[in-house]
Amino acid sequence: MSTWLRLTSRIHHLQAVAIPSQTLWPRTRSFAQRTQHVSTGVPARSDFFKNLDLHFKAMQDKAAAALPGSDWMPFEVTPGLPPERVDILIVGGGVVGWSIAYWLKRTKPRDALRVLVVEKDPTYSQASTVLSAGGIRQQFSLAENIQLSLASADFLKNINDHLGVLNEDPVDLQFNHSGYLFLASEKGAHIMEANYATQRHAGAKVKLLSPTQLKGMFPWINTDGVALASYGLENEGWFDPWTLLSAFRRKAMSMGVEQSFGEVKGFNHRVHSIESKEFGRLQIRRITHANVQMPNSMEIQPVECTVVVNAAGASSGAVAGMVGIGSDPQAMEGAGTPIPVQPRKRYIYVVHSPHGPGLDTPFLIDYSGVYFRREGLGGNYITGLSPEEVEEPDTTNLDVDHDFFQEKIWPHLAHRVPAFESLKVTSAWAGFYDYNTFDQNGLLGIHPQVRNMYFATGFSGHGLQQSPAIGRAMAELILEGGYQTLDLSALDVKRVLHEEPLLEENIV
Amino acid sequence: MAASLLVTWRSCPRTSWSVARRYLSATPASPPSAVTRFLLRLRQQFYDVEQLMTWGATFRNRAVRRKNLFYGFAQQNYGDNIAAAYYILSLKGSFRFAGQTEWFQPDTRGKFSFDFMNFPTSMIEEVDLSGTPINRDGLDNLVSQLQLRRLSLRGCPEVDGWFLTRLHMFSDSLEELDISHCPRITVGALCALQHLRKLHRLNVSGLPSVQNPGLVRILMEEMLPHCIVTGAEYSQGLSLEDTTQTNTTHSSTYPGTQPKEEESGPTSAQRQGQMQ
């Protein structure tokens, strides 16, 4: 009898340890029942009133789903499926896409506009935004680019007023206010002076430096071969692109923008044929549905949409091709040209140099095209170079070519900054430019052949720094029908069809 | 996540550093008090409390922007110097004209005398704007004061990197700058001070957003060789293991940077003496 008692007390002790303290086991349970009930905390009495607010929320959700206009389906739905009908569908979840989504929802009431952002890669592993060097500058040769960049800098100054969400931490972009330093040789000095006049006229704060002044400000530079330098004094620097993307995304989602992870595989469109005296028969298309394929699945959801915004970055050309742009050479004079946006691979190398320049290192861009900037406080720098047209690397993957650094970058780097003769490459990555092969400037606006596809792509390496202003411009174009704050009609996509390139001389 | 606290302007601007929290999240400095935590819980439960707090933040933003407007009327009718002086006094800061020893400052209630209007041609040499809500737009009022030698921005809540980049307009005259206890200044903001080549005294004590003040002090001294940087000890921000390592490595790296060595002779010798 005593062994039974000891056994029961031990088992009871074990059960008391395994079961949380608020359960009450009635003493009248039998021995057999006690041995089987080693569960992890199902309460004997559940409290209805503790979960009252959850019950109310569930009831409210059921009521909302029962009303028309909701997405309720009587059969099981794949999780993460995009809704069947939206007003505006944004292809591409990079910084430009989310910026447009934010600006679209900003001035309207919450349920006025249904916006969906479709992004094919939830890990953003190949997205140009997060692989960018993160710089912002006003030293362009085109007035529109300077204005876009200035407007974006103004946005970033007040970023918490724009993108601050109530219960979350404030946005900290880790902005380094160091300025861009462009160096020009004898050949390019006159272009730099002309650009300087344009930049000052547009409101950018830039200073021209002679080689002696340059040496005085930055003693670690070798001014051999430099005829003129242009240094940005305000509103220039670099920041963390992921933080900006997350801030836009968080704020847009708090305003009701929906997100879906999937790849746009095609568009259903209606075609109107029109006879025109000048151009003959024209095929004008209007997109009715976008077919979104779920990740790792063959399921395709057609999303009915009024407006499609093509902010797909490096794959914008492919997305435009899905609706037939560029595939019908007899359509319209020039309208047979495809959208000239292609991915171009660019490498960035992280180097460590113990005796390199200090905190005053600007984002230096040499006339050979080699650029570098400081990264952190530990003597690390980020460097890169845009290769020549004929040497463009293969874009099927994002593998890094380290010989490119050894042969093309290091000689120029070591020549310009003697301290970089001793350095070590600690890391490297590659990313895509959404390269506009036509004239390396952004493409905005509607294509004449597709009535409801807006373009916001082709920025060729300066999409991140112009993204807040681009978002505002596109929102104005879509909601108001025309540009309100900045007139960007020079960047319209129709210039591709008219073959009028708008060249930018300061392409990095 | 702190609710916003009202700034008490009655305290003397030179000694206090009460911080107005315009955004509804905590700066890294202090944990929230019981009142703010209670308000936060209310805000999470009730939409109306959330809306009231959003309005409160919006109104405070608007108030700061209104304080930093461009004093165009004063500038047009009384000249640049008087407009700048009036702006500084309206923000409850104080200043001193060049060539005079008397300071113009408001009293504890914010009232000031208009004696400064007797000196329309005097430029301002020393300004104390501690604890004021000056921001980068307010500098438009001080653009003309190109003889500014000393500027104190102690505890200003709106001074950030965008403000410091605009200080390049004073690069020929500014000699002393005090940016201690400004919550929004980060290391990226301090990079902007490289334009101030005449600076010979800089106070960077108590910056909550700067994680390793000792390292930042060393980098600032390298960047501005003629400037004495006060407010951070070299060992601040370093943990115990790091201190022993830095002692051995620092002695070997300095001979490499020749151009800077010539200019910063006394400071580097002082530094090496301290490290070894």
Side-chain angles (χ1 to χ4, degrees):
Chain A
M1 194 57 197
S2 59
T3 46
W4 274 123
L5 283 170
R6 254 182 280 132
L7 222 55
T8 53
S9 65
R10 211 168 287 150
I11 290 166
H12 194 70
H13 177 72
L14 274 173
Q15 287 173 344
V17 165
I19 294 161
S21 51
Q22 55 260 50
T23 61
L24 299 168
W25 291 102
R27 299 278 174 205
T28 49
R29 276 190 195 244
S30 69
F31 174 68
Q33 270 183 311
R34 256 188 287 194
T35 47
Q36 284 156 16
H37 280 289
V38 185
S39 62
T40 53
V42 172
R45 276 194 322 260
S46 71
D47 203 340
F48 177 70
F49 292 99
K50 223 172 3 169
N51 297 329
L52 197 57
D53 50 349
L54 289 175
H55 289 308
F56 273 138
K57 181 109 189 15
M59 274 165 48
Q60 272 176 337
D61 287 342
K62 276 191 202 155
L67 290 169
S70 74
D71 294 328
W72 182 78
M73 299 295 280
F75 42 85
E76 170 125 349
V77 176
T78 322
L81 208 63
E84 290 200 334
R85 177 181 297 145
V86 294
D87 294 318
I88 301 182
L89 186 135
I90 300 176
V91 180
V95 70
V96 173
W98 279 110
S99 167
I100 297 175
Y102 161 74
W103 281 99
L104 280 170
K105 287 290 257 188
R106 201 169 165 267
T107 46
K108 300 275 179 189
R110 195 183 170 95
D111 297 322
L113 207 61
R114 203 160 173 193
V115 181
L116 174 71
V117 174
V118 177
E119 166 61 38
K120 73 176 175 206
D121 182 6
T123 59
Y124 287 84
S125 55
Q126 299 203 333
S128 311
T129 302
V130 299
L131 296 168
S132 150
I136 177 169
R137 60 174 162 120
Q138 280 83 49
Q139 295 183 57
F140 293 100
S141 59
L142 203 59
E144 279 83 6
N145 278 336
I146 304 172
Q147 283 160 5
L148 278 171
S149 183
L150 274 174
S152 300
D154 282 336
F155 183 89
L156 297 180
K157 283 178 198 175
N158 302 314
I159 192 163
N160 270 299
D161 297 349
H162 293 291
L163 301 182
V165 176
L166 212 46
N167 295 329
E168 311 270 347
D169 293 327
V171 182
D172 174 22
L173 283 179
Q174 294 157 42
F175 202 101
N176 279 275
H177 297 265
S178 276
Y180 271 64
L181 180 67
F182 276 84
L183 303 178
S185 59
E186 289 287 337
K187 292 191 301 167
H190 62 286
I191 302 178
M192 182 173 270
E193 280 168 10
N195 290 348
Y196 169 74
T198 322
Q199 287 150 20
R200 286 297 295 264
H201 181 73
K205 305 278 195 301
V206 185
K207 186 161 101 164
L208 282 180
L209 301 169
S210 68
T212 33
Q213 285 172 325
L214 185 67
K215 189 78 182 174
M217 274 186 94
F218 305 109
W220 41 264
I221 290 188
N222 168 23
T223 52
D224 189 30
V226 175
L228 195 60
S230 151
Y231 186 41
L233 294 169
E234 285 181 38
N235 299 331
E236 292 195 350
W238 59 88
F239 58 94
D240 180 25
W242 176 254
T243 311
L244 183 63
L245 175 64
S246 308
F248 267 126
R249 185 160 165 252
R250 187 180 74 178
K251 184 69 180 178
M253 290 181 77
S254 81
M255 296 198 291
V257 173
E258 294 166 56
Q259 176 180 30
S260 169
F261 289 116
E263 190 174 348
V264 172
K265 282 296 192 192
F267 295 100
N268 299 346
H269 50 265
R270 286 198 301 266
V271 181
H272 301 286
S273 283
I274 299 177
E275 269 299 333
S276 153
K277 289 199 198 61
E278 292 175 66
F279 304 112
R281 174 151 236 107
L282 300 176
Q283 308 272 344
I284 308 292
R285 294 184 175 84
R286 186 165 208 101
I287 297 175
T288 53
H289 293 79
N291 297 325
V292 180
Q293 184 177 35
M294 289 293 105
N296 303 322
S297 157
M298 295 302 292
E299 182 176 3
I300 293 190
Q301 164 84 324
V303 178
E304 187 180 349
C305 46
T306 318
V307 166
V308 171
V309 178
N310 186 349
S315 356
S316 311
V319 169
M322 285 173 200
V323 79
I325 296 175
S327 57
D328 190 3
Q330 291 122 356
M332 198 163 155
E333 186 172 300
T337 41
I339 293 293
V341 176
Q342 287 171 10
R344 290 286 170 95
K345 189 156 80 166
R346 296 286 179 265
Y347 305 114
I348 288 186
Y349 304 90
V350 183
V351 303
H352 173 75
S353 171
H355 311 308
L359 211 55
D360 58 344
T361 320
F363 199 129
L364 192 145
I365 304 179
D366 190 36
Y367 50 80
S368 56
V370 169
Y371 60 83
F372 80 92
R373 69 155 170 88
R374 179 183 55 84
E375 171 65 33
L377 301 176
N380 295 312
Y381 305 88
I382 277 184
T383 175
L385 166 68
S386 284
E388 301 288 320
E389 282 281 342
V390 294
E391 296 164 355
E392 285 286 351
D394 163 49
T395 52
T396 45
N397 55 27
L398 283 180
D399 295 342
V400 177
D401 178 13
H402 289 276
D403 295 329
F404 184 73
F405 177 80
Q406 295 273 14
E407 289 157 29
K408 298 280 178 352
I409 299 185
W410 202 0
H412 296 288
L413 208 57
H415 175 245
R416 190 53 61 209
V417 182
F420 283 158
E421 276 158 17
S422 66
L423 58 70
K424 191 169 158 189
V425 178
T426 49
S427 161
W429 70 81
F432 290 125
Y433 271 17
D434 49 343
Y435 195 80
N436 179 354
T437 52
F438 186 60
D439 58 7
Q440 290 87 54
N441 273 319
L443 296 168
L444 306 178
I446 312 180
H447 194 280
Q449 208 182 351
V450 183
R451 297 314 295 167
N452 57 351
M453 179 181 256
Y454 287 79
F455 285 86
T457 178
F459 299 106
S460 318
H462 36 89
L464 172 71
Q465 57 185 283
Q466 294 176 343
S467 56
I470 295 281
R472 184 177 61 181
M474 293 306 297
E476 286 167 0
L477 199 58
I478 295 173
L479 298 176
E480 322 266 341
Y483 297 112
Q484 309 289 323
T485 34
L486 288 174
D487 183 17
L488 303 175
S489 27
L491 290 173
D492 203 279
V493 72
K494 295 189 189 62
R495 71 181 193 273
V496 173
L497 314 178
H498 301 152
E499 291 181 22
E500 291 162 6
L502 198 66
L503 285 166
E504 166 66 48
E505 276 135 25
N506 264 353
I507 305 154
V508 173
Chain B
M1 315 305 149
S4 39
L5 305 171
L6 287 173
V7 172
T8 51
W9 292 123
R10 289 185 206 96
S11 42
C12 176
R14 242 175 265 160
T15 53
S16 78
W17 55 282
S18 47
V19 174
R21 302 233 180 94
R22 292 197 293 126
Y23 306 124
L24 304 179
S25 303
T27 50
S30 58
S33 70
V35 174
T36 49
R37 274 180 301 162
F38 172 65
L39 282 171
L40 169 69
R41 283 210 59 201
L42 276 186
R43 191 178 72 190
Q44 282 170 339
Q45 297 278 350
F46 301 108
Y47 281 124
D48 21 22
V49 177
E50 181 184 342
Q51 190 60 42
L52 285 171
M53 287 187 155
T54 317
W55 284 343
T58 315
F59 291 145
R60 262 181 296 281
N61 286 0
R62 230 179 267 174
V64 169
R65 252 176 277 152
R66 205 171 47 237
K67 283 215 168 270
N68 284 296
L69 287 173
F70 182 56
Y71 281 46
F73 182 81
Q75 201 212 32
Q76 223 172 5
N77 296 320
Y78 300 101
D80 294 337
N81 303 329
I82 303 237
Y86 183 45
Y87 168 69
I88 295 170
L89 289 170
S90 325
L91 280 185
K92 297 185 179 125
S94 44
F95 67 91
R96 183 175 66 78
F97 281 123
Q100 297 179 18
T101 51
E102 192 203 329
W103 278 79
F104 291 87
Q105 61 198 54
D107 64 6
T108 46
R109 285 170 56 211
K111 299 263 188 279
F112 51 88
S113 76
F114 282 81
D115 291 341
F116 64 88
M117 293 192 62
N118 301 331
F119 310 100
T121 52
S122 302
M123 301 197 69
I124 297 174
E125 191 177 57
E126 196 173 335
V127 178
D128 180 5
L129 284 164
S130 334
T132 58
I134 186 167
N135 72 3
R136 62 194 171 267
D137 298 319
L139 276 180
D140 285 336
N141 292 310
L142 298 176
V143 163
S144 53
Q145 302 309 306
L146 296 173
Q147 283 188 25
L148 189 66
R149 281 182 41 223
R150 297 206 198 116
L151 181 59
S152 171
L153 297 164
R154 192 182 168 83
C156 288
E158 303 296 325
V159 163
D160 55 4
W162 302 97
F163 183 98
L164 294 183
T165 49
R166 292 202 69 184
L167 289 181
H168 73 82
M169 58 179 110
F170 301 124
S171 55
D172 290 329
S173 60
L174 196 64
E175 291 172 10
E176 293 185 25
L177 181 62
D178 180 357
I179 43 174
S180 52
H181 301 104
C182 293
R184 300 244 213 124
I185 291 190
T186 58
V187 180
L190 293 172
C191 300
L193 296 177
Q194 56 164 298
H195 301 282
L196 304 174
R197 293 286 150 172
K198 287 255 167 62
L199 203 64
H200 61 66
R201 197 178 290 275
L202 176 66
N203 186 348
V204 291
S205 54
L207 294 178
S209 303
V210 171
Q211 294 331 327
N212 26 23
L215 177 59
V216 170
R217 177 179 167 184
I218 294 171
L219 293 169
M220 295 291 293
E221 285 176 348
E222 260 189 63
M223 184 170 88
L224 298 170
H226 303 288
C227 184
I228 301 170
V229 180
T230 55
E233 292 309 312
Y234 292 129
S235 54
Q236 253 179 300
L238 294 176
S239 60
L240 201 56
E241 311 88 59
D242 292 344
T243 334
T244 45
Q245 276 178 19
T246 354
N247 274 332
T248 48
T249 51
H250 260 281
S251 48
S252 53
T253 50
Y254 279 101
T257 54
Q258 271 91 18
K260 272 196 278 280
E261 277 296 300
E262 273 95 64
E263 289 173 42
S264 59
T267 29
S268 71
Q270 181 192 29
R271 220 179 309 153
Q272 290 203 351
Q274 281 192 354
M275 291 311 286
Q276 282 144 8

